[in-house]
Amino acid sequence: MSNTLFDKVWDKHVVRKIEGGPDVLFIDRHLIHEVTSPVAFLGLKSRGIKVLYPERTFATADHNTPTINQHLPVADPLSANQLKALETNSNEYGISYWGLGHQKNGIVHVVGPEYGITQPGATIVCGDSHTSTHGAFGAIAFGIGTSEVEMVLATQCIMQPKPKKMRINVNGKLGFGVTPKDVALYIISKLTTSGATGYFVEYAGDVFENMSMEGRMTVCNLSIEMGARGGMIAPDETTINYVKGREFSPKGEAWDKALAYYKTLKTDADAVFDKELTFKASDIEPMITYGTNPGMGMGISHDIPDAADVEGGAATYEKSLGYMGFHEGDSMIGKQVDFVFVGSCTNGRIEDFRAFTSLVKGKHKADNVTAWLVPGSHIVEAQIKEEGLLDILTEAGFTLRQPGCSACLAMNDDKVPAGKYAVSTSNRNFEGRQGPGARTMLASPLVAAAAAVTGVVTDPRTLIEELV
Amino acid sequence: MAYDKFTILKSTGVPLPIENIDTDQIIPARFLKATERVGFGDNLFRDWRYNADNTPKKDFVLNDSTYSGEILVGGRNFGSGSSREHAAWAVYDYGFRCVVSSFFADIFKNNCLNIGVLPVQVSAKFADKIFAAIIADPKTELEINLPAQTITLVSTGEKETFDISHYKKDNMINGFDDIDYLQSIKTQIQEFAEHLPL
Ligand code: SF4
């Protein structure tokens, strides 16, 4: 029988099927962080049960950690308490714990791949919706709620109905200044934020085949923003070269066995999807969002569409534009920018900092802009320094912060003030996401860089002479 | 965590006819710092419900005593965004046992089912009718019958059936959760784990 990549990985992990109910799915790797795990551990305690496979769970602190002075005690008592709980729980149950200050600490979806915890063909969950990032390796990876975190700790399984399957093909060659973030924002703008609800997506076509692992992670990361449970890309040479030799990757004989398994991970030629969509790479330009959900995005040179031309209620659309202080028909070019955020599990990897730096090189940060450059992990931070990017950034008036989720969800002090505008490389522009009243425009690191040096929304193609 | 059993719920509803209500609105991230599951109801829809100085926003529906009840009726694509179960806890903790919408985001729906809030998906047409009925008369009652899988607009008798898996339905009727079940098949899980490629 011909199967999709998704079927192959899913079916291999089904412990039991329940008649008229969900599948019991075995989870290979479980990632936890401070925010969504404490109540799960309380649950374990009150039931008096242990963690079944502590070696399959990995803990890192990221969501509410500060991004400056990480060597000092965390000032906010609530955050400090949550971080302490993660440490205590990890120690008590024998889970590897990468807390603040630990060399391996960083955003959960950035460090997982960096240390080889993420593997092709694995099932991976985490109490964070952007767990879909790990799908870039051909893993089935998705976000879960705290009750499910407790389930995985207790039994290494969760219960899920098998989602439907969608394939999204993007073929051709991406234009000048068009990055993986733009590809994802473009797809979401076409599908809307609920267009893939109930589906698991496979991305296929030469655009993804030619993409680096970092780019694939950016794309899979954003799958959740169109409602999909997750997204995945078939592993190939690029994937295997990335995974090989990392700390938690299989070694020796185990590697040979794993490699044989990875090679089986592709959709059969005649496999059928419940839905299939195809886009042209040449239709995609640098994107920016103008509203309060990631589906409200458009090519940066376009004007904000009229309510009549978008799906959904006009009242909701107007509420959204009202919040942003924008109007139908406005051009985004030239809009005010107060903050620029480069970071998050969407765009906090080395390639993103390379792209940002390539544009700001030889220019200077605009005086009206506060820029937060936050690497996704210590590895990214170290690489920025080693590659000499930090010198270029410093020269251009930028400083680098320490790793963490930061202004992606503003649980720490990195909050955009009410009414201020931020161009952000993160994943959500919901009302208040980056601080109460904050107004977020999602974009790529290149668009962020163009805003950072000009102080207004600017098409990066007008500033770059060379292709990145 | 075990929760109250759910069979039949007859109640007035609170209307929130806004589309794409995301979990950052249901419970903003800055309220996710607790290490226990208490007090989330106070911050349900925090930034729509309160001004920056913590005074209630008069025009928000939760601050309008005309509307009350254990059923929250939301616009299309309810619960999109983050996987935070805190959003479902906030809904439950505030006193809602059921959310009605013409479309739910996946993870939110799952989280609700796991903690004893029943998500009832109705057709867009029926959702419009419910909104209109509640706005015309806030005393309008809805009856949610889980065993029969029906939702009825009590005043007119109009009803629709809704989907839920047998497994989840039994769980909700009996107040069981998935961990009880998974614990019971632990040996099978351990045997299965021996034969995995990774
Ligand atoms: S960077 Fe943002 S989306 Fe990613 S894990 Fe952190 S909070 Fe979640």
Side-chain angles (χ1 to χ4, degrees):
Chain A
M1 207 184 96
S2 38
N3 272 324
T4 66
L5 165 63
F6 175 76
D7 291 315
K8 290 181 186 179
V9 181
W10 181 277
D11 295 348
K12 215 173 197 75
H13 290 85
V14 175
V15 178
R16 176 188 280 205
K17 285 188 177 298
I18 297 174
E19 189 90 19
D23 289 350
V24 176
L25 195 70
F26 190 88
I27 301 303
D28 293 316
R29 305 276 193 273
H30 182 206
L31 304 163
I32 60 171
H33 59 83
E34 73 276 23
V35 176
T36 55
S37 67
V39 173
F41 282 107
L42 276 188
L44 283 189
K45 257 172 223 143
S46 72
R47 290 175 206 256
I49 43 187
K50 290 252 156 296
V51 174
L52 187 59
Y53 295 112
E55 69 279 13
R56 289 183 182 271
T57 294
F58 301 83
T60 180
D62 57 2
H63 277 58
N64 60 31
T65 52
T67 55
I68 47 166
N69 293 326
Q70 290 189 346
H71 60 288
L72 298 177
V74 174
D76 172 15
L78 289 174
S79 296
N81 189 35
Q82 230 175 21
L83 293 166
K84 187 76 203 153
L86 183 67
E87 181 177 1
T88 314
N89 288 325
S90 301
N91 291 342
E92 188 176 336
Y93 290 95
I95 293 165
S96 25
Y97 165 72
W98 304 342
L100 203 55
H102 191 289
Q103 190 43 40
K104 291 188 178 126
N105 175 257
I107 303 175
V108 60
H109 310 310
V110 176
V111 296
E114 281 176 343
Y115 289 96
I117 295 166
T118 307
Q119 290 285 316
T123 46
I124 302 171
V125 296
C126 172
D128 182 282
S129 54
H130 294 94
T131 309
S132 59
T133 311
H134 309 266
F137 293 80
I140 290 185
F142 53 89
I144 57 175
T146 298
S147 296
E148 291 167 312
V149 172
E150 187 183 340
M151 276 175 228
V152 180
L153 291 170
T155 68
Q156 206 59 40
C157 288
I158 57 165
M159 308 188 62
Q160 292 275 317
K162 192 174 180 181
K164 289 184 282 185
K165 290 154 289 179
M166 181 188 293
R167 181 159 60 188
I168 297 178
N169 307 286
V170 185
N171 296 311
K173 200 169 169 295
L174 292 175
F176 173 64
V178 180
T179 70
K181 178 68 165 286
D182 302 305
V183 175
L185 285 177
Y186 176 83
I187 297 172
I188 302 164
S189 76
K190 295 291 168 197
L191 271 90
T192 78
T193 51
S194 59
T197 303
Y199 292 90
F200 215 96
V201 172
E202 179 178 343
Y203 299 97
D206 36 14
V207 164
F208 305 110
E209 282 161 24
N210 295 330
M211 232 177 232
S212 66
M213 285 318 296
E214 284 82 359
R216 293 180 192 182
M217 286 190 250
T218 300
V219 170
C220 289
N221 172 281
L222 288 161
S223 306
I224 180 75
E225 305 308 336
M226 51 191 181
R229 208 63 208 277
M232 64 201 303
I233 295 173
D236 57 9
E237 282 305 306
T238 309
T239 322
I240 291 166
N241 290 337
Y242 183 102
V243 167
K244 195 174 177 185
R246 297 200 177 242
E247 188 170 333
F248 290 88
S249 290
K251 307 265 152 48
E253 232 175 88
W255 172 255
D256 297 337
K257 199 177 136 205
L259 200 59
Y261 173 53
Y262 302 159
K263 300 245 153 104
T264 66
L265 300 173
K266 49 172 88 60
T267 292
D268 297 328
D270 45 358
V272 184
F273 288 82
D274 299 288
K275 195 168 182 177
E276 181 136 17
L277 298 168
T278 301
F279 300 105
K280 279 211 298 262
S282 54
D283 287 344
I284 307 174
E285 63 166 336
M287 298 283 295
I288 192 158
T289 66
Y290 55 85
T292 55
N293 71 57
M296 299 175 80
M298 61 182 190
I300 195 162
S301 65
H302 293 220
D303 296 336
I304 297 176
D306 290 345
D309 299 332
V310 294
E311 229 182 280
T316 305
Y317 187 76
E318 270 150 31
K319 180 178 187 299
S320 184
L321 288 193
Y323 180 87
M324 292 300 293
F326 294 157
H327 304 94
E328 294 166 305
D330 282 4
S331 163
M332 287 299 288
I333 303 286
K335 290 273 189 210
Q336 173 191 338
V337 176
D338 308 296
F339 286 78
V340 167
F341 171 56
V342 182
S344 86
C345 58
T346 309
N347 284 120
R349 283 172 287 267
I350 188 64
E351 269 197 359
D352 305 312
F353 289 93
R354 284 185 196 135
F356 183 89
T357 309
S358 74
L359 193 140
V360 304
K361 187 176 181 179
K363 303 187 177 64
H364 204 272
K365 184 183 79 62
D367 289 340
N368 62 308
V369 168
T370 302
W372 290 326
L373 311 187
V374 186
S377 70
H378 288 295
I379 292 193
V380 176
E381 186 185 23
Q383 230 171 326
I384 290 172
K385 292 176 183 164
E386 274 159 30
E387 294 184 12
L389 304 181
L390 184 58
D391 300 332
I392 302 171
L393 291 169
T394 310
E395 182 86 352
F398 295 93
T399 52
L400 193 64
R401 298 174 83 88
Q402 291 169 298
C405 294
S406 179
C408 174
L409 90 168
M411 273 187 83
N412 64 1
D413 289 338
D414 307 343
K415 290 181 176 53
V416 175
K420 295 290 181 195
Y421 288 95
V423 170
S424 178
T425 67
S426 57
N427 40 62
R428 286 185 175 143
N429 51 353
F430 297 148
E431 286 184 29
R433 171 80 177 184
Q434 298 197 289
R439 293 155 154 175
T440 301
M441 296 170 272
L442 299 176
S444 74
L446 282 181
V447 172
V453 294
T454 60
V456 292
V457 174
T458 303
D459 187 336
R461 293 171 297 187
T462 61
L463 300 176
I464 2 178
E465 290 92 46
E466 278 165 62
L467 263 171
V468 187
Chain B
M1 174 155 153
Y3 45 77
D4 301 337
K5 300 174 181 181
F6 193 116
T7 46
I8 294 173
L9 172 67
K10 195 170 172 183
S11 168
T12 50
V14 177
L16 204 51
I18 298 169
E19 294 196 15
N20 304 318
I21 294 177
D22 59 75
T23 50
D24 276 84
Q25 308 319 312
I26 300 174
I27 182 112
R30 61 187 192 280
F31 300 110
L32 306 184
K33 295 189 181 184
T35 50
E36 286 172 67
R37 198 189 136 178
V38 286
F40 287 101
D42 297 342
N43 296 317
L44 175 69
F45 293 115
R46 180 77 200 195
D47 294 336
W48 287 356
R49 200 166 141 201
Y50 296 102
N51 294 304
D53 62 1
N54 291 334
T55 53
K57 292 188 180 174
K58 289 216 175 52
D59 53 355
F60 186 62
V61 70
L62 293 190
N63 296 324
D64 180 349
S65 57
T66 328
Y67 300 104
S68 63
E70 293 177 60
I71 302 172
L72 176 64
V73 189
R76 198 179 175 283
N77 197 24
F78 192 91
S80 59
S82 109
S83 60
R84 61 186 73 156
E85 195 168 293
H86 312 66
W89 298 341
V91 167
Y92 185 97
D93 205 40
Y94 182 85
F96 293 117
R97 292 303 315 279
C98 172
V99 183
V100 176
S101 169
S102 61
F103 196 85
F104 286 97
D106 241 7
I107 304 184
F108 178 77
K109 188 173 174 181
N110 227 12
N111 286 341
C112 282
L113 287 165
N114 281 336
I115 65 146
V117 171
L118 181 66
V120 171
Q121 188 161 322
V122 296
S123 68
K125 223 168 145 189
F126 199 49
D128 288 345
K129 257 185 207 160
I130 295 171
F131 280 129
I134 296 176
I135 288 158
D137 176 10
K139 300 231 153 42
T140 298
E141 281 190 312
L142 292 167
E143 186 183 280
I144 316 287
N145 183 326
L146 178 58
Q149 294 178 225
T150 55
I151 168 170
T152 309
L153 203 48
V154 177
S155 52
T156 62
E158 282 170 280
K159 74 165 91 167
E160 256 191 24
T161 54
F162 60 86
D163 275 346
I164 181 169
S165 79
H166 287 304
Y167 169 81
K168 282 290 178 195
K169 179 170 153 180
D170 285 351
N171 270 2
M172 284 205 80
I173 292 173
N174 296 306
F176 290 159
D177 69 12
D178 288 351
I179 298 190
D180 300 331
Y181 177 83
L182 290 171
Q183 283 279 94
S184 73
I185 61 162
K186 203 157 129 188
T187 327
Q188 190 188 351
I189 295 170
Q190 283 169 311
E191 279 165 15
F192 184 88
E194 305 275 305
H195 306 289
L196 280 168
L198 293 169

mmCIF file with all atom_site columns, all heavy atoms in Angstrom, chain A residues 407-425:
data_model
loop_
_atom_site.group_PDB
_atom_site.id
_atom_site.type_symbol
_atom_site.label_atom_id
_atom_site.label_alt_id
_atom_site.label_comp_id
_atom_site.label_asym_id
_atom_site.label_entity_id
_atom_site.label_seq_id
_atom_site.pdbx_PDB_ins_code
_atom_site.Cartn_x
_atom_site.Cartn_y
_atom_site.Cartn_z
_atom_site.occupancy
_atom_site.B_iso_or_equiv
_atom_site.pdbx_formal_charge
_atom_site.auth_seq_id
_atom_site.auth_comp_id
_atom_site.auth_asym_id
_atom_site.auth_atom_id
_atom_site.pdbx_PDB_model_num
ATOM 1   N N   . ALA A 1 407 ? 10.719 38.746 23.528 1.00 0.00 ? 407 ALA A N   1
ATOM 2   C CA  . ALA A 1 407 ? 9.538  39.481 23.081 1.00 0.00 ? 407 ALA A CA  1
ATOM 3   C C   . ALA A 1 407 ? 8.609  38.668 22.193 1.00 0.00 ? 407 ALA A C   1
ATOM 4   O O   . ALA A 1 407 ? 7.607  39.186 21.717 1.00 0.00 ? 407 ALA A O   1
ATOM 5   C CB  . ALA A 1 407 ? 9.966  40.751 22.352 1.00 0.00 ? 407 ALA A CB  1
ATOM 6   N N   . CYS A 1 408 ? 8.910  37.397 21.978 1.00 0.00 ? 408 CYS A N   1
ATOM 7   C CA  . CYS A 1 408 ? 7.955  36.576 21.228 1.00 0.00 ? 408 CYS A CA  1
ATOM 8   C C   . CYS A 1 408 ? 6.640  36.517 21.971 1.00 0.00 ? 408 CYS A C   1
ATOM 9   O O   . CYS A 1 408 ? 5.580  36.603 21.380 1.00 0.00 ? 408 CYS A O   1
ATOM 10  C CB  . CYS A 1 408 ? 8.495  35.167 20.990 1.00 0.00 ? 408 CYS A CB  1
ATOM 11  S SG  . CYS A 1 408 ? 7.274  34.099 20.231 1.00 0.00 ? 408 CYS A SG  1
ATOM 12  N N   . LEU A 1 409 ? 6.708  36.336 23.291 1.00 0.00 ? 409 LEU A N   1
ATOM 13  C CA  . LEU A 1 409 ? 5.463  36.356 24.057 1.00 0.00 ? 409 LEU A CA  1
ATOM 14  C C   . LEU A 1 409 ? 5.538  37.252 25.276 1.00 0.00 ? 409 LEU A C   1
ATOM 15  O O   . LEU A 1 409 ? 4.596  37.305 26.063 1.00 0.00 ? 409 LEU A O   1
ATOM 16  C CB  . LEU A 1 409 ? 4.978  34.935 24.405 1.00 0.00 ? 409 LEU A CB  1
ATOM 17  C CG  . LEU A 1 409 ? 5.435  34.274 25.692 1.00 0.00 ? 409 LEU A CG  1
ATOM 18  C CD1 . LEU A 1 409 ? 4.617  33.034 25.945 1.00 0.00 ? 409 LEU A CD1 1
ATOM 19  C CD2 . LEU A 1 409 ? 6.884  33.982 25.682 1.00 0.00 ? 409 LEU A CD2 1
ATOM 20  N N   . ALA A 1 410 ? 6.663  37.951 25.415 1.00 0.00 ? 410 ALA A N   1
ATOM 21  C CA  . ALA A 1 410 ? 6.741  39.029 26.404 1.00 0.00 ? 410 ALA A CA  1
ATOM 22  C C   . ALA A 1 410 ? 6.364  38.598 27.822 1.00 0.00 ? 410 ALA A C   1
ATOM 23  O O   . ALA A 1 410 ? 5.692  39.317 28.538 1.00 0.00 ? 410 ALA A O   1
ATOM 24  C CB  . ALA A 1 410 ? 5.874  40.211 25.958 1.00 0.00 ? 410 ALA A CB  1
ATOM 25  N N   . MET A 1 411 ? 6.807  37.416 28.209 1.00 0.00 ? 411 MET A N   1
ATOM 26  C CA  . MET A 1 411 ? 6.576  37.013 29.601 1.00 0.00 ? 411 MET A CA  1
ATOM 27  C C   . MET A 1 411 ? 7.659  37.578 30.516 1.00 0.00 ? 411 MET A C   1
ATOM 28  O O   . MET A 1 411 ? 7.505  37.632 31.716 1.00 0.00 ? 411 MET A O   1
ATOM 29  C CB  . MET A 1 411 ? 6.560  35.496 29.734 1.00 0.00 ? 411 MET A CB  1
ATOM 30  C CG  . MET A 1 411 ? 5.195  34.905 29.478 1.00 0.00 ? 411 MET A CG  1
ATOM 31  S SD  . MET A 1 411 ? 5.124  33.144 29.824 1.00 0.00 ? 411 MET A SD  1
ATOM 32  C CE  . MET A 1 411 ? 4.861  33.129 31.595 1.00 0.00 ? 411 MET A CE  1
ATOM 33  N N   . ASN A 1 412 ? 8.778  37.939 29.924 1.00 0.00 ? 412 ASN A N   1
ATOM 34  C CA  . ASN A 1 412 ? 9.839  38.557 30.723 1.00 0.00 ? 412 ASN A CA  1
ATOM 35  C C   . ASN A 1 412 ? 9.705  40.084 30.596 1.00 0.00 ? 412 ASN A C   1
ATOM 36  O O   . ASN A 1 412 ? 8.625  40.587 30.307 1.00 0.00 ? 412 ASN A O   1
ATOM 37  C CB  . ASN A 1 412 ? 11.212 38.045 30.261 1.00 0.00 ? 412 ASN A CB  1
ATOM 38  C CG  . ASN A 1 412 ? 11.524 38.456 28.833 1.00 0.00 ? 412 ASN A CG  1
ATOM 39  O OD1 . ASN A 1 412 ? 10.730 39.133 28.177 1.00 0.00 ? 412 ASN A OD1 1
ATOM 40  N ND2 . ASN A 1 412 ? 12.677 38.060 28.347 1.00 0.00 ? 412 ASN A ND2 1
ATOM 41  N N   . ASP A 1 413 ? 10.810 40.822 30.753 1.00 0.00 ? 413 ASP A N   1
ATOM 42  C CA  . ASP A 1 413 ? 10.701 42.285 30.706 1.00 0.00 ? 413 ASP A CA  1
ATOM 43  C C   . ASP A 1 413 ? 10.723 42.850 29.297 1.00 0.00 ? 413 ASP A C   1
ATOM 44  O O   . ASP A 1 413 ? 10.580 44.059 29.113 1.00 0.00 ? 413 ASP A O   1
ATOM 45  C CB  . ASP A 1 413 ? 11.857 42.914 31.503 1.00 0.00 ? 413 ASP A CB  1
ATOM 46  C CG  . ASP A 1 413 ? 11.671 42.697 32.991 1.00 0.00 ? 413 ASP A CG  1
ATOM 47  O OD1 . ASP A 1 413 ? 10.505 42.466 33.404 1.00 0.00 ? 413 ASP A OD1 1
ATOM 48  O OD2 . ASP A 1 413 ? 12.668 42.729 33.737 1.00 0.00 ? 413 ASP A OD2 1
ATOM 49  N N   . ASP A 1 414 ? 10.932 42.009 28.291 1.00 0.00 ? 414 ASP A N   1
ATOM 50  C CA  . ASP A 1 414 ? 11.033 42.516 26.914 1.00 0.00 ? 414 ASP A CA  1
ATOM 51  C C   . ASP A 1 414 ? 9.635  42.740 26.339 1.00 0.00 ? 414 ASP A C   1
ATOM 52  O O   . ASP A 1 414 ? 9.147  41.960 25.516 1.00 0.00 ? 414 ASP A O   1
ATOM 53  C CB  . ASP A 1 414 ? 11.834 41.532 26.043 1.00 0.00 ? 414 ASP A CB  1
ATOM 54  C CG  . ASP A 1 414 ? 13.185 41.196 26.660 1.00 0.00 ? 414 ASP A CG  1
ATOM 55  O OD1 . ASP A 1 414 ? 13.631 41.941 27.558 1.00 0.00 ? 414 ASP A OD1 1
ATOM 56  O OD2 . ASP A 1 414 ? 13.796 40.183 26.269 1.00 0.00 ? 414 ASP A OD2 1
ATOM 57  N N   . LYS A 1 415 ? 9.005  43.798 26.804 1.00 0.00 ? 415 LYS A N   1
ATOM 58  C CA  . LYS A 1 415 ? 7.628  44.087 26.382 1.00 0.00 ? 415 LYS A CA  1
ATOM 59  C C   . LYS A 1 415 ? 7.600  45.353 25.537 1.00 0.00 ? 415 LYS A C   1
ATOM 60  O O   . LYS A 1 415 ? 8.200  46.360 25.894 1.00 0.00 ? 415 LYS A O   1
ATOM 61  C CB  . LYS A 1 415 ? 6.728  44.301 27.594 1.00 0.00 ? 415 LYS A CB  1
ATOM 62  C CG  . LYS A 1 415 ? 6.441  43.047 28.401 1.00 0.00 ? 415 LYS A CG  1
ATOM 63  C CD  . LYS A 1 415 ? 5.515  43.372 29.563 1.00 0.00 ? 415 LYS A CD  1
ATOM 64  C CE  . LYS A 1 415 ? 5.110  42.150 30.366 1.00 0.00 ? 415 LYS A CE  1
ATOM 65  N NZ  . LYS A 1 415 ? 6.189  41.313 30.852 1.00 0.00 ? 415 LYS A NZ  1
ATOM 66  N N   . VAL A 1 416 ? 6.860  45.295 24.446 1.00 0.00 ? 416 VAL A N   1
ATOM 67  C CA  . VAL A 1 416 ? 6.658  46.483 23.619 1.00 0.00 ? 416 VAL A CA  1
ATOM 68  C C   . VAL A 1 416 ? 5.548  47.299 24.292 1.00 0.00 ? 416 VAL A C   1
ATOM 69  O O   . VAL A 1 416 ? 4.485  46.753 24.595 1.00 0.00 ? 416 VAL A O   1
ATOM 70  C CB  . VAL A 1 416 ? 6.241  46.073 22.182 1.00 0.00 ? 416 VAL A CB  1
ATOM 71  C CG1 . VAL A 1 416 ? 5.905  47.293 21.343 1.00 0.00 ? 416 VAL A CG1 1
ATOM 72  C CG2 . VAL A 1 416 ? 7.342  45.237 21.528 1.00 0.00 ? 416 VAL A CG2 1
ATOM 73  N N   . PRO A 1 417 ? 5.780  48.600 24.546 1.00 0.00 ? 417 PRO A N   1
ATOM 74  C CA  . PRO A 1 417 ? 4.766  49.390 25.251 1.00 0.00 ? 417 PRO A CA  1
ATOM 75  C C   . PRO A 1 417 ? 3.477  49.563 24.441 1.00 0.00 ? 417 PRO A C   1
ATOM 76  O O   . PRO A 1 417 ? 3.487  49.468 23.215 1.00 0.00 ? 417 PRO A O   1
ATOM 77  C CB  . PRO A 1 417 ? 5.449  50.748 25.460 1.00 0.00 ? 417 PRO A CB  1
ATOM 78  C CG  . PRO A 1 417 ? 6.891  50.530 25.184 1.00 0.00 ? 417 PRO A CG  1
ATOM 79  C CD  . PRO A 1 417 ? 6.993  49.374 24.252 1.00 0.00 ? 417 PRO A CD  1
ATOM 80  N N   . ALA A 1 418 ? 2.397  49.855 25.148 1.00 0.00 ? 418 ALA A N   1
ATOM 81  C CA  . ALA A 1 418 ? 1.081  50.012 24.517 1.00 0.00 ? 418 ALA A CA  1
ATOM 82  C C   . ALA A 1 418 ? 1.132  51.055 23.403 1.00 0.00 ? 418 ALA A C   1
ATOM 83  O O   . ALA A 1 418 ? 1.726  52.125 23.564 1.00 0.00 ? 418 ALA A O   1
ATOM 84  C CB  . ALA A 1 418 ? 0.053  50.418 25.564 1.00 0.00 ? 418 ALA A CB  1
ATOM 85  N N   . GLY A 1 419 ? 0.537  50.718 22.280 1.00 0.00 ? 419 GLY A N   1
ATOM 86  C CA  . GLY A 1 419 ? 0.434  51.662 21.167 1.00 0.00 ? 419 GLY A CA  1
ATOM 87  C C   . GLY A 1 419 ? 1.660  51.710 20.272 1.00 0.00 ? 419 GLY A C   1
ATOM 88  O O   . GLY A 1 419 ? 1.603  52.262 19.177 1.00 0.00 ? 419 GLY A O   1
ATOM 89  N N   . LYS A 1 420 ? 2.775  51.131 20.718 1.00 0.00 ? 420 LYS A N   1
ATOM 90  C CA  . LYS A 1 420 ? 4.003  51.196 19.917 1.00 0.00 ? 420 LYS A CA  1
ATOM 91  C C   . LYS A 1 420 ? 3.995  50.108 18.841 1.00 0.00 ? 420 LYS A C   1
ATOM 92  O O   . LYS A 1 420 ? 3.366  49.061 19.006 1.00 0.00 ? 420 LYS A O   1
ATOM 93  C CB  . LYS A 1 420 ? 5.230  51.022 20.809 1.00 0.00 ? 420 LYS A CB  1
ATOM 94  C CG  . LYS A 1 420 ? 5.406  52.148 21.815 1.00 0.00 ? 420 LYS A CG  1
ATOM 95  C CD  . LYS A 1 420 ? 5.816  53.433 21.124 1.00 0.00 ? 420 LYS A CD  1
ATOM 96  C CE  . LYS A 1 420 ? 6.011  54.562 22.136 1.00 0.00 ? 420 LYS A CE  1
ATOM 97  N NZ  . LYS A 1 420 ? 6.056  55.874 21.495 1.00 0.00 ? 420 LYS A NZ  1
ATOM 98  N N   . TYR A 1 421 ? 4.755  50.382 17.784 1.00 0.00 ? 421 TYR A N   1
ATOM 99  C CA  . TYR A 1 421 ? 4.810  49.456 16.657 1.00 0.00 ? 421 TYR A CA  1
ATOM 100 C C   . TYR A 1 421 ? 6.101  48.656 16.660 1.00 0.00 ? 421 TYR A C   1
ATOM 101 O O   . TYR A 1 421 ? 7.180  49.233 16.813 1.00 0.00 ? 421 TYR A O   1
ATOM 102 C CB  . TYR A 1 421 ? 4.725  50.229 15.336 1.00 0.00 ? 421 TYR A CB  1
ATOM 103 C CG  . TYR A 1 421 ? 3.355  50.793 15.079 1.00 0.00 ? 421 TYR A CG  1
ATOM 104 C CD1 . TYR A 1 421 ? 3.039  52.104 15.421 1.00 0.00 ? 421 TYR A CD1 1
ATOM 105 C CD2 . TYR A 1 421 ? 2.364  49.986 14.515 1.00 0.00 ? 421 TYR A CD2 1
ATOM 106 C CE1 . TYR A 1 421 ? 1.769  52.619 15.204 1.00 0.00 ? 421 TYR A CE1 1
ATOM 107 C CE2 . TYR A 1 421 ? 1.092  50.493 14.291 1.00 0.00 ? 421 TYR A CE2 1
ATOM 108 C CZ  . TYR A 1 421 ? 0.802  51.796 14.641 1.00 0.00 ? 421 TYR A CZ  1
ATOM 109 O OH  . TYR A 1 421 ? -0.464 52.294 14.416 1.00 0.00 ? 421 TYR A OH  1
ATOM 110 N N   . ALA A 1 422 ? 5.973  47.348 16.473 1.00 0.00 ? 422 ALA A N   1
ATOM 111 C CA  . ALA A 1 422 ? 7.154  46.490 16.404 1.00 0.00 ? 422 ALA A CA  1
ATOM 112 C C   . ALA A 1 422 ? 7.148  45.703 15.103 1.00 0.00 ? 422 ALA A C   1
ATOM 113 O O   . ALA A 1 422 ? 6.127  45.127 14.722 1.00 0.00 ? 422 ALA A O   1
ATOM 114 C CB  . ALA A 1 422 ? 7.166  45.523 17.572 1.00 0.00 ? 422 ALA A CB  1
ATOM 115 N N   . VAL A 1 423 ? 8.299  45.695 14.425 1.00 0.00 ? 423 VAL A N   1
ATOM 116 C CA  . VAL A 1 423 ? 8.496  44.731 13.342 1.00 0.00 ? 423 VAL A CA  1
ATOM 117 C C   . VAL A 1 423 ? 9.193  43.553 14.002 1.00 0.00 ? 423 VAL A C   1
ATOM 118 O O   . VAL A 1 423 ? 10.257 43.712 14.616 1.00 0.00 ? 423 VAL A O   1
ATOM 119 C CB  . VAL A 1 423 ? 9.337  45.302 12.191 1.00 0.00 ? 423 VAL A CB  1
ATOM 120 C CG1 . VAL A 1 423 ? 9.709  44.187 11.214 1.00 0.00 ? 423 VAL A CG1 1
ATOM 121 C CG2 . VAL A 1 423 ? 8.557  46.384 11.463 1.00 0.00 ? 423 VAL A CG2 1
ATOM 122 N N   . SER A 1 424 ? 8.559  42.388 13.924 1.00 0.00 ? 424 SER A N   1
ATOM 123 C CA  . SER A 1 424 ? 9.027  41.256 14.709 1.00 0.00 ? 424 SER A CA  1
ATOM 124 C C   . SER A 1 424 ? 9.198  40.025 13.831 1.00 0.00 ? 424 SER A C   1
ATOM 125 O O   . SER A 1 424 ? 8.355  39.724 12.994 1.00 0.00 ? 424 SER A O   1
ATOM 126 C CB  . SER A 1 424 ? 8.005  40.972 15.813 1.00 0.00 ? 424 SER A CB  1
ATOM 127 O OG  . SER A 1 424 ? 8.404  39.851 16.554 1.00 0.00 ? 424 SER A OG  1
ATOM 128 N N   . THR A 1 425 ? 10.303 39.310 14.062 1.00 0.00 ? 425 THR A N   1
ATOM 129 C CA  . THR A 1 425 ? 10.529 38.090 13.280 1.00 0.00 ? 425 THR A CA  1
ATOM 130 C C   . THR A 1 425 ? 9.888  36.880 13.950 1.00 0.00 ? 425 THR A C   1
ATOM 131 O O   . THR A 1 425 ? 10.130 35.751 13.550 1.00 0.00 ? 425 THR A O   1
ATOM 132 C CB  . THR A 1 425 ? 12.034 37.797 13.132 1.00 0.00 ? 425 THR A CB  1
ATOM 133 O OG1 . THR A 1 425 ? 12.550 37.463 14.429 1.00 0.00 ? 425 THR A OG1 1
ATOM 134 C CG2 . THR A 1 425 ? 12.788 38.976 12.565 1.00 0.00 ? 425 THR A CG2 1
#
